[in-house]
Amino acid sequence: MGKDLTEVRSPQRQLIPDTEDWERYELPFLRGIAYKAKTQPNYRFRDLSREVNKTLLRSSFRKLNKKAASGVDRVTYFDYKEHFEENVENLVERLKRGSYRARLVKRKYIPKGEGKTRALGLPVLEDKLLQTACSDIVSAIYEQDFHPFSYGYRPRRSARQAADDLVVRMQFGKFGYVVEADIKGFFNHIDHDILLELLAQRIDDKRFLRLIRKWLKAGILEEDQRVQYPEEGTPQGGSISPILANIYLHHAIDEWFEKVVKPHCQGEAIICRYADDFVCAFQYAEDAERFYRVLPKRLKKFNLEVAEEKTNILRFSRFQPGLKNRFCFLSFEFYWDSDKQGKPRLFRRTGRKRLQTAKRNLTEYIKENRHMKTSCLLDSLIRKLRGHYQYFGVVGNLEGLFTVKNYVVALLYKWLNRRSGRKSCTWERLKTIISFNPLPVPVCCARPAKARVWWSSRVMERKSLLTTKASTTEEPREGKLHAGICAGDAE
């Protein structure tokens, strides 16, 4: 009866279950760990190594990528699955005896763009399985400590969601200056001793910490068969590397910004971080300049340094609209402009570098696969375009989406005519072919937020006073620019 009554009162509202973050874990003991970490922020967990048992390993094995490349032992997912119970029992027994040893990590280099390469580490499947299990335990603890403005490598948080929340926060905030920053070679310069000290603040289990140390100190087999033993850094490709990187940055940047930077700011300040790439917005120029000067000193304490070519400070205000004042974050370019009603609005478009990279990848793909059956080639291009639209289909970026679609049509006309020595595909025939396998139409829409956007305490205190204001003002005060906040609430 109560459910029917709710549907009658608000038929258009979607009922959302009232659940906490710690309740999403599948295994009961992980829910218990997460609940205790949530309710007791200063508690140090003991005897975590005992929880690495067959039940956890079975659950972690289902999370592994079946098509992932093998390590130095060349054991694949299906090879390990054939004798899974025996392999897991042997692994648990070696963990109990203390005879487990981390195997070598195979190094592979993949193209990064602009002629650069990214180093990946491929651990053996057994190490990857154990890292996944330990990552679940560590994640259950630290997911309760992470701030809501941290998005990278976290469950139910994506880069698109980070960009969407940043737009909402800056649209309804009073910010005039932006500091965009990136950390130079972050994964290669993580200090092992500092990381283990940070983990010891919440984990009081020496055996569990020694297990993590083994993975950090594991030898790396280079492509020329040389073996290196790293003194710093964690290989990208390991299952536990993302959560360790987040813990490192949580103490290096997030906690420092919340407890030190914001209390010393004269105006409002926010930060949005996705892995080692983050953006900070400030109300006043003095706060932004002070943060820009102090940031390298702060990172130096954690053996890190900023990438100077990707770190700068700029004036970013609704009162100076246009593409001249813009910044790039998560492959989006953020800029202020006027909407159809003439009101200032924060827009996004596909970053120029990312757009050129997408065109280059599509050119190479169509060129290399022009021998495929035309229907199969179109099916694969449809999937690629849908993935591109899914991420970059934001309000105000329709032109960028049509640019990619029209570029694909032009590439098809070019390379389908190069299948043989003569021109065999006219525009009329190409239109007929595409009509049977139509390319997806670009659509720009706003996604509903899964959670409330992270508002600062000052904004929440003044929200009740701002609901009656519908305009935005900017007044000079002692040589500083002061931007008012738009009325409204956003989720």
Side-chain angles (χ1 to χ4, degrees), residues 447-461:
R447 294 182 182 177
K450 298 180 180 179
R452 193 176 190 85
V453 181
W454 26 273
W455 297 89
S456 65
S457 58
R458 294 185 183 181
V459 173
M460 294 304 294
E461 292 173 359

Side-chain angles (χ1 to χ4, degrees), residues 340-371:
K340 295 180 180 180
Q341 288 75 29
K343 298 180 180 180
R345 186 73 57 185
L346 184 59
F347 289 99
R348 284 171 288 172
R349 70 172 188 175
T350 309
R352 299 301 94 179
K353 290 184 178 180
R354 184 64 182 86
L355 184 60
Q356 296 301 324
T357 302
K359 290 182 177 181
R360 191 182 311 114
N361 293 338
L362 288 170
T363 302
E364 295 177 358
Y365 181 80
I366 296 176
K367 179 181 177 180
E368 295 176 357
N369 296 277
R370 64 183 186 270
H371 63 280

Side-chain angles (χ1 to χ4, degrees), residues 369-381:
N369 296 277
R370 64 183 186 270
H371 63 280
M372 293 173 57
K373 190 177 179 180
T374 307
S375 59
C376 297
L377 178 61
L378 285 175
D379 289 339
S380 61
L381 291 175

Side-chain angles (χ1 to χ4, degrees), residues 296-357:
K297 300 177 183 178
R298 172 65 181 182
L299 294 180
K300 190 175 181 180
K301 294 181 179 180
F302 292 83
N303 196 33
L304 301 174
E305 58 179 323
V306 297
E308 297 181 358
E309 68 279 2
K310 298 181 181 179
T311 305
N312 53 52
I313 180 174
L314 70 152
R315 180 77 166 103
F316 192 76
S317 171
R318 69 187 71 213
F319 303 98
Q320 295 184 2
L323 290 171
K324 183 178 180 181
N325 298 325
R326 67 181 188 272
F327 69 91
C328 189
F329 181 60
L330 299 177
S331 299
F332 284 107
E333 286 186 354
F334 295 74
Y335 65 97
W336 283 100
D337 204 349
S338 300
D339 59 11
K340 295 180 180 180
Q341 288 75 29
K343 298 180 180 180
R345 186 73 57 185
L346 184 59
F347 289 99
R348 284 171 288 172
R349 70 172 188 175
T350 309
R352 299 301 94 179
K353 290 184 178 180
R354 184 64 182 86
L355 184 60
Q356 296 301 324
T357 302

Side-chain angles (χ1 to χ4, degrees), residues 385-443:
L385 287 177
R386 283 176 179 169
H388 186 83
Y389 299 164
Q390 187 78 8
Y391 184 76
F392 291 102
V394 297
V395 176
N397 194 32
L398 193 61
E399 182 181 353
L401 300 186
F402 270 104
T403 299
V404 176
K405 180 184 178 182
N406 296 335
Y407 187 76
V408 169
V409 174
L411 286 175
L412 286 173
Y413 178 77
K414 175 182 178 180
W415 290 107
L416 289 181
N417 280 312
R418 284 163 174 76
R419 284 177 163 179
S420 60
R422 62 186 181 86
K423 185 175 181 180
S424 58
C425 183
T426 62
W427 281 109
E428 289 74 13
R429 184 178 180 184
L430 180 61
K431 292 179 181 179
T432 303
I433 294 174
I434 295 179
S435 64
F436 290 101
N437 294 276
L439 299 178
V441 179
V443 177

